[in-house]
Amino acid sequence: MAALNTDGTRNDWTRAEIAALFDLPFTDLVFRAAEVHRAHHAAGEVQLCTLLSIKTGGCPEDCGYCSQSVSADSGVKATKLMDVRAVLQSAAQAKDAGSQRFCMGAAWRNPKDRDLPAIVEMVKGVRAMGMETCMTLGMLQPHQARALAEAGLDYYNHNIDTSPERYGEVITTRTFGERLETLEHVRAAGINVCCGGIVGMGETREDRVGFVHALATLPRHPESVPVNALVPVKGTVLGDMLADTPLAKIDDIEFVRTVAVARITMPLSMVRLSAGRESMSEATQALCFLAGANSIFTGDKLLTAGNRGDDADAALLAKLGVVAMRGEEPMRACEAAE
Ligand code: SAM
Ligand code: DTB
Ligand code: SF4
């Protein structure tokens, strides 16, 4: 018998249950996901988030998908940490464009303590503009997580990226366990967790089952779950592999299935349709919204890769009759659990 938490979520999903969801007839799966979505969220609303790379390239990690790794020959130029004023200018533009959350990403294995004062100023400055703040800076020590929490950071993004079994084939410079440790430090500091991964890296269905299983069985579900479709970048291990085997690209229906299973297993979480929308048809994106995705990255750039741009997104949302989420999310898992 499944054990329900007081907020109605479950952390005891089995792999067999998650595999059975993936195996459902497509329309049954999407219908179920849409029901779960409507029970917990305003189905006609999508959260708009904006990304800024505050420190680009030159990263010592060897993530096989990433243009910013020193192991990749992607042509991305390494930069220093941006200055606080420039970051706040970007944030002000994002706010004017209607963004609800400003996400700042750095190509680091981990932040150095000497970088923290500037990072803290960025969090405080963006918060003062009335936007939610998110940062993704790599691995954190407990004292660093606490410093970010004290600055008022709302979310920390740290992805598990794929199944525990596949992890070591994609990244060798850190372990799946180290990822979980940082997530624990973020939780312990009281910051909301944003954690998801990438599909379309040539993984199997079983890996996608293992990926959703790992997220849905965390002690508390991440408040945000980004589902990225691999953006194949020339010069990265996975980008080059996919260029040689085009059939390895994730099938649109399988991508929607992954979103739907994430929605059903983590009903209160925001499921973010993240990287890869530039090459995704409007019909596939509409199916993702039907299957419970309720957040996107706006603007014409992610960190280094292109994004659809505000005009194309405004047209799509208008066509679908979907509106931008304003103010607080309907319910946060961390609040509901208390
Ligand atoms: N360096 C930090 C870290 O890895 O934790 C933060 C930045 S990193 C770029 C954030 C996430 O972006 C990765 O965990 C991965 O899921 C996603 N990502 C990076 N490159 C991608 C690509 N080419 N396609 C899709 N998602 C990608
Ligand atoms: C996440 O899961 N996706 C975003 C965010 N977290 C930081 C990053 C996507 C990066 C896409 C590739 C690039 O722009 O280099
Ligand atoms: Fe570095 Fe993050 Fe890219 Fe990995 S995903 S190489 S940690 S920037």
Side-chain angles (χ1 to χ4, degrees):
M1 199 32 200
L4 286 186
N5 299 319
T6 50
D7 62 5
T9 59
R10 282 179 55 195
N11 307 83
D12 62 351
W13 290 95
T14 64
R15 279 202 180 217
E17 285 175 307
I18 292 176
L21 288 173
F22 266 100
D23 283 343
L24 282 173
F26 182 72
T27 50
D28 290 349
L29 173 62
V30 171
F31 183 72
R32 235 177 107 174
E35 280 184 324
V36 171
H37 186 203
R38 274 147 213 272
H40 299 284
H41 303 268
E45 293 184 2
V46 164
Q47 178 192 47
L48 309 183
C49 307
T50 302
L51 267 173
L52 176 69
S53 180
I54 58 171
K55 193 270 165 225
T56 306
C59 182
E61 303 272 27
D62 70 352
C63 310
Y65 46 77
C66 187
S67 63
Q68 305 195 69
S69 165
V70 285
S71 319
D73 187 13
S74 63
V76 168
K77 253 183 53 205
T79 66
K80 287 205 286 236
L81 181 62
M82 279 174 76
D83 66 59
V84 177
R85 247 203 358 225
V87 171
L88 297 186
Q89 260 169 14
S90 255
Q93 282 167 10
K95 186 172 164 68
D96 286 347
S99 203
Q100 191 189 29
R101 185 177 301 177
F102 195 64
C103 309
M104 295 158 269
W108 283 327
R109 175 174 165 82
N110 52 263
K112 298 198 172 60
D113 283 346
R114 66 162 188 261
D115 296 316
L116 282 186
I119 294 289
V120 161
E121 284 315 303
M122 290 173 196
V123 173
K124 288 184 174 164
V126 175
R127 271 204 121 214
M129 291 176 194
M131 270 188 293
E132 290 181 336
T133 50
C134 180
M135 286 213 154
T136 180
L137 314 170
M139 293 190 249
L140 289 185
Q141 294 300 314
H143 72 279
Q144 296 177 320
R146 285 194 296 271
L148 291 174
E150 272 163 34
L153 184 70
D154 297 295
Y155 288 80
Y156 195 77
N157 167 247
H158 201 65
N159 289 343
I160 58 165
D161 280 329
T162 187
S163 67
E165 302 77 41
R166 181 89 205 288
Y167 197 83
E169 288 169 35
V170 178
I171 302 148
T172 70
T173 49
R174 57 168 189 254
T175 63
F176 196 84
E178 283 175 308
R179 264 345 232 186
L180 298 181
E181 267 171 38
T182 288
L183 292 174
E184 280 167 23
H185 301 330
V186 170
R187 274 271 175 247
I191 301 170
N192 289 304
V193 168
C194 171
C195 181
I198 310 178
V199 290
M201 297 195 291
E203 74 282 345
T204 60
R205 160 72 72 86
E206 187 52 34
D207 287 318
R208 289 185 283 278
V209 169
F211 160 61
V212 177
H213 178 259
L215 293 172
T217 56
L218 285 170
R220 237 148 94 173
H221 293 163
E223 282 73 23
S224 289
V225 177
V227 183
N228 297 277
L230 178 73
V231 178
V233 180
K234 208 161 161 271
T236 61
V237 174
L238 287 162
D240 290 346
M241 183 195 89
L242 274 174
D244 294 340
T245 50
L247 286 178
K249 185 182 180 295
I250 187 78
D251 175 69
D252 287 345
I253 298 295
E254 185 66 11
F255 186 81
V256 179
R257 281 184 186 275
T258 310
V259 167
V261 177
R263 165 52 65 222
I264 293 168
T265 53
M266 294 172 278
L268 302 183
S269 306
M270 301 296 287
V271 175
R272 182 167 309 113
L273 190 50
S274 302
R277 285 196 309 117
E278 205 181 21
S279 59
M280 202 178 278
S281 72
E282 293 196 334
T284 301
Q285 293 182 60
L287 278 173
C288 289
F289 295 138
L290 182 62
N294 58 350
S295 176
I296 56 173
F297 284 122
T298 53
D300 52 17
K301 203 167 166 201
L302 294 165
L303 293 173
T304 65
N307 197 24
R308 288 186 90 230
D310 289 340
D311 292 349
D313 279 341
L316 174 62
L317 297 188
K319 211 190 276 191
L320 299 176
V322 169
V323 297
M325 200 174 277
R326 301 273 169 216
E328 284 296 294
E329 293 159 18
M331 193 187 305
R332 288 212 191 140
C334 58
E335 287 159 4
E338 271 148 20

